[in-house]
Amino acid sequence: MELINRSLFQPPTLLLTGIPGLEAIQIWISIPLCVMYLIALLGNCIILFVIKTTSRLHEPQYIFLSMLATTDVGLSLSTLPTVLMVFLLNHREIEFHSCLTQMFFIHTFSSMESAILLAMAFDRFVAICNPLHYTMVLTSPRIIGMGIAAMVRGVVLMVPLPILLKRLSFCKDVILSHCYCYHPDVMKLACGPVRVNIIYGLSLVLCSFGVDAVFIVISYILILKTVLDIASEDGQLKALNTCVSHIFTVCIFYVPLIVLALIHRFGTFTSPLLHVTMANLFLFSTPVLNPLVYSLKTKQIRSVIYKVFKGRGNLLK
């Protein structure tokens, strides 16, 4: 009896899931996944390199962008081992503590990304609504402080997640819904009371992602009000054009996140394929699209990248 009771509380090995119904062609699906990881890692590293080596890009807007790129690299590296393990090697098992570690990093980097998107919205608000005080408000110490605050908040808020899961017993099915470890997904496998986990998870979402989203919306309402007060139409378009990349990034981050949260809340009414699709959108959309959007839309970054590659091409000749 003692052995049975121990086995109920001992963390099990969990099974990750690829794409339901497409197990036979997962090796081929791994090819575009590898391409997306390559774009995410290489693209964000190029942005970091360009900003670091170009002195005229050492401005608040681009420093925040470098923070976003760093977070995207961290998020991609957090999921890379299990995603490729499932799709490329067809190896689905993951040790429980490794799963909790991955879950912690995924949620921490996601929280950091949300905070950095809020900081970028504040940057656009100050630049458009109070341009004369831009350099006085967004000083280097304040920017560094905002970056540290985003990191500390992410770590502090996410540390309880694995701790709360470790106190549960896992005697149900051990098959996860995704190819990586996600807190609501792991929590559903527990056979003990999960009320504390649910309350903390909901509070965490509301106090971090929810608060960030509300302040981002408020920032853009104030920005829009200021833009509409600009007399010339060209001035309005020029002001809004500086926000397009950030607005797109906010949408591709929050929309999959909200849909994924709703799916886990009302999961009995949705298909497993929708689970996997939204989970992968949440996983790949921002790290892959952010470097592409900012490289194509931001003239300063685009011109520097062009000069770098043009110079390398001339050296090869």
Side-chain angles (χ1 to χ4, degrees):
M1 180 64 71
E2 183 182 354
L3 182 61
I4 293 174
N5 287 335
R6 277 189 64 194
S7 66
L8 287 175
F9 291 91
Q10 185 177 3
T13 298
L14 304 178
L15 293 178
L16 302 164
T17 299
I19 300 179
L22 300 177
E23 290 82 2
I25 59 169
Q26 281 187 165
I27 185 68
W28 299 106
I29 298 174
S30 68
I31 297 174
L33 290 178
C34 289
V35 172
M36 284 191 282
Y37 270 116
L38 184 64
I39 293 172
L41 295 173
L42 187 60
N44 284 293
C45 286
I46 288 175
I47 285 181
L48 287 170
F49 172 78
V50 167
I51 293 174
K52 185 179 184 300
T53 56
T54 309
S55 58
R56 63 190 176 93
L57 295 182
H58 294 173
E59 299 176 2
Q61 179 181 1
Y62 303 109
I63 295 173
F64 286 129
L65 178 57
S66 67
M67 292 181 186
L68 186 69
T70 303
T71 306
D72 284 336
V73 170
L75 185 59
S76 297
L77 291 176
S78 298
T79 58
L80 178 65
T82 55
V83 173
L84 294 187
M85 189 170 64
V86 170
F87 286 96
L88 194 60
L89 304 177
N90 197 28
H91 182 76
R92 297 173 56 198
E93 290 188 358
I94 182 170
E95 199 271 327
F96 183 74
H97 291 93
S98 298
C99 182
L100 294 185
T101 301
Q102 183 189 51
M103 181 197 72
F104 168 76
F105 281 109
I106 289 173
H107 286 282
T108 298
F109 281 118
S110 298
S111 175
M112 288 171 59
E113 181 141 354
S114 179
I116 292 168
L117 288 174
L118 173 59
M120 295 174 79
F122 178 69
D123 168 79
R124 292 298 83 207
F125 165 74
V126 177
I128 293 173
C129 299
N130 201 359
L132 297 178
H133 294 87
Y134 182 73
T135 55
M136 289 186 289
V137 173
L138 289 170
T139 60
S140 295
R142 283 179 181 168
I143 294 170
I144 294 170
M146 292 165 79
I148 293 173
M151 182 178 64
V152 171
R153 188 194 75 166
V155 172
V156 170
L157 289 179
M158 301 307 165
V159 162
L161 290 182
I163 295 173
L164 290 173
L165 285 174
K166 285 185 70 173
R167 54 181 278 276
L168 300 173
S169 58
F170 289 80
C171 51
K172 287 184 180 179
D173 194 1
V174 294
I175 301 177
L176 296 168
S177 304
H178 311 308
C179 52
Y180 56 90
C181 295
Y182 190 62
H183 176 256
D185 199 23
V186 178
M187 184 180 63
K188 287 192 300 184
L189 302 181
C191 57
V194 294
R195 184 180 180 84
V196 174
N197 299 69
I198 293 173
I199 292 173
Y200 183 75
L202 181 60
S203 302
L204 188 151
V205 170
L206 293 176
C207 294
S208 57
F209 300 102
V211 170
D212 292 345
V214 168
F215 278 109
I216 289 172
V217 171
I218 291 173
S219 297
Y220 274 104
I221 290 174
L222 296 174
I223 287 171
L224 185 60
K225 182 177 179 298
T226 302
V227 168
L228 292 176
D229 290 336
I230 298 175
S232 68
E233 186 176 338
D234 289 341
Q236 292 178 348
L237 292 175
K238 185 177 180 181
L240 288 175
N241 191 49
T242 64
C243 302
V244 170
S245 298
H246 181 254
I247 292 172
F248 182 78
T249 300
V250 168
C251 290
I252 62 175
F253 177 77
Y254 280 104
V255 171
L257 180 65
I258 293 170
V259 174
L260 188 59
L262 292 174
I263 286 174
H264 278 284
R265 179 65 182 86
F266 308 102
T268 53
F269 305 103
T270 57
S271 68
L273 186 59
L274 181 60
H275 274 245
V276 173
T277 302
M278 294 314 302
N280 288 334
L281 273 177
F282 169 68
L283 182 68
F284 289 109
S285 56
T286 49
V288 172
L289 294 178
N290 280 349
L292 296 177
V293 169
Y294 278 98
S295 298
L296 295 173
K297 193 75 183 71
T298 309
K299 182 180 178 182
Q300 292 86 339
I301 293 178
R302 188 173 65 245
S303 62
V304 173
I305 292 175
Y306 175 76
K307 288 178 181 177
V308 168
F309 281 99
K310 184 180 179 182
R312 297 266 176 132
N314 291 334
L315 288 174
L316 292 174
K317 290 178 181 179

